[in-house]
Amino acid sequence: MNKLTDFFKVLSDETRLRILILLYHKKLCVCEMCGITGESQPKISKHLAKLRDIGLVKDERQEQFIFYDLNLNEQVYKGILEKIVDNINDYPVLKSDIEKCKHAEKYLESCRR
Amino acid sequence: MNKLTDFFKVLSDETRLRILILLYHKKLCVCEMCGITGESQPKISKHLAKLRDIGLVKDERQEQFIFYDLNLNEQVYKGILEKIVDNINDYPVLKSDIEKCKHAEKYLESCRR
DNA sequence: CACTTATATACTTATATGAGTATATAAGTA
DNA sequence: TACTTATATACTCATATAAGTATATAAGTG
């Protein structure tokens, strides 16, 4: 059951929740996630590291960028994220993130600030 | 969204998760929950207090006992608990709790140890 | 009204967690 | 091979959290 409670601990942090909901929709690289969420790179990277450690995401380098993708083995986890997405209108921040992620590429250029 | 992340923080503690899944099945008093889970009374009470504070459970006195019941306003929350229950075979502790809660009354007598 | 019982809370302590800043690493490019 | 860029990690500090023990409270009972 630790795996389940650990999963909920992941979701209990807003930044991580935003990341997971983003990745639920699209494979993204770190600087895209920074751009979309407005959070700093170390912050995003650190949370991604946690997600990676417990196997919820996987990373893959594509040229200069490292792209992250969901890696949800358990059906339960997928179902829970799905519940949130189904009620996305209740969560404006998540909804706005998803909108922005449709044009994620534009955050690639502006990666360096 | 804080409400959502707070909900997940609730679920990230094993004791609270056990309590919520129990209450999902049956209205219970504190000492029944202690008996079923094997956890101490202050521990259970403290976690119930948190659940009460954020409005996830409601309490009601019946004679000597104070019974707790789920108070899930949001459909999302109900849906998430449902996902867990649907996969209860993956979580032996929760499954055993539910079994025990079918005979919860017997923990009323033995409340005082 | 004293006593018991069920539950709640206070206090202490140990541990975990997250943020920010600075720095390291590793791959790509000139 | 030096330089840049993208990402990861280390370090520090402030805050949050959970557990255990002791104690308070509030209702019921003799």
Side-chain angles (χ1 to χ4, degrees):
Chain A
M1 173 154 54
N2 279 357
K3 279 187 64 185
L4 184 59
T5 51
D6 285 351
F7 177 66
F8 287 128
K9 185 156 295 175
V10 162
L11 298 182
S12 74
D13 179 89
E14 171 163 339
T15 306
R16 284 190 300 257
L17 181 56
R18 293 175 75 184
I19 291 174
L20 285 184
I21 295 297
L22 277 172
L23 296 181
Y24 184 92
H25 290 85
K26 193 173 184 179
K27 190 185 287 202
L28 291 168
C29 79
V30 177
C31 68
E32 287 174 324
M33 292 186 246
C34 292
I36 291 169
T37 62
E39 299 290 350
S40 76
Q41 177 268 317
K43 185 168 174 178
I44 295 292
S45 273
K46 240 183 311 183
H47 285 297
L48 283 170
K50 290 204 184 192
L51 296 174
R52 200 177 344 106
D53 286 349
I54 60 177
L56 287 178
V57 302
K58 55 176 189 284
D59 58 335
E60 177 194 1
R61 179 175 282 269
Q62 284 179 22
E63 293 149 40
Q64 327 112 283
F65 305 109
I66 297 182
F67 279 83
Y68 281 82
D69 197 2
L70 279 194
N71 186 37
L72 298 180
N73 25 357
E74 309 264 343
Q75 196 56 40
V76 183
Y77 303 166
K78 222 170 291 182
I80 288 169
L81 292 187
E82 194 182 356
K83 284 279 170 206
I84 300 172
V85 173
D86 287 347
N87 292 269
I88 201 72
N89 286 322
D90 293 343
Y91 311 110
V93 175
L94 301 181
K95 188 170 184 181
S96 148
D97 283 348
I98 295 170
E99 279 308 310
K100 290 182 190 162
C101 109
K102 290 176 185 165
H103 318 282
E105 311 76 42
K106 79 174 181 191
Y107 296 103
L108 280 182
E109 316 159 2
S110 57
C111 185
R112 193 113 262 264
R113 72 219 45 188
Chain B
M1 174 153 55
N2 281 355
K3 280 187 65 186
L4 184 60
T5 49
D6 285 350
F7 179 66
F8 288 128
K9 186 156 294 177
V10 162
L11 298 183
S12 75
D13 179 89
E14 170 163 340
T15 306
R16 284 192 298 258
L17 181 57
R18 292 174 75 183
I19 290 174
L20 285 182
I21 296 297
L22 277 172
L23 295 181
Y24 184 91
H25 289 84
K26 193 175 184 178
K27 190 185 288 201
L28 291 169
C29 79
V30 177
C31 67
E32 287 174 324
M33 292 187 245
C34 293
I36 291 169
T37 62
E39 299 289 352
S40 76
Q41 177 268 317
K43 185 168 174 178
I44 295 292
S45 273
K46 240 182 310 183
H47 285 299
L48 283 170
K50 292 205 181 191
L51 296 174
R52 198 176 346 107
D53 287 349
I54 59 176
L56 287 178
V57 302
K58 56 175 188 285
D59 58 337
E60 176 194 2
R61 182 173 280 269
Q62 284 179 22
E63 293 149 40
Q64 325 109 285
F65 306 107
I66 296 182
F67 279 82
Y68 281 83
D69 198 2
L70 278 193
N71 186 37
L72 298 180
N73 25 359
E74 310 262 346
Q75 197 56 40
V76 183
Y77 302 166
K78 222 170 292 182
I80 288 169
L81 293 188
E82 194 182 355
K83 284 279 170 206
I84 300 172
V85 174
D86 287 349
N87 292 271
I88 201 70
N89 285 324
D90 293 344
Y91 311 110
V93 175
L94 300 180
K95 188 170 184 183
S96 149
D97 283 349
I98 294 170
E99 279 307 310
K100 290 182 190 162
C101 108
K102 290 177 184 164
H103 318 283
E105 312 75 43
K106 79 174 181 191
Y107 296 103
L108 280 181
E109 316 158 2
S110 58
C111 184
R112 194 110 261 267
R113 68 216 48 186

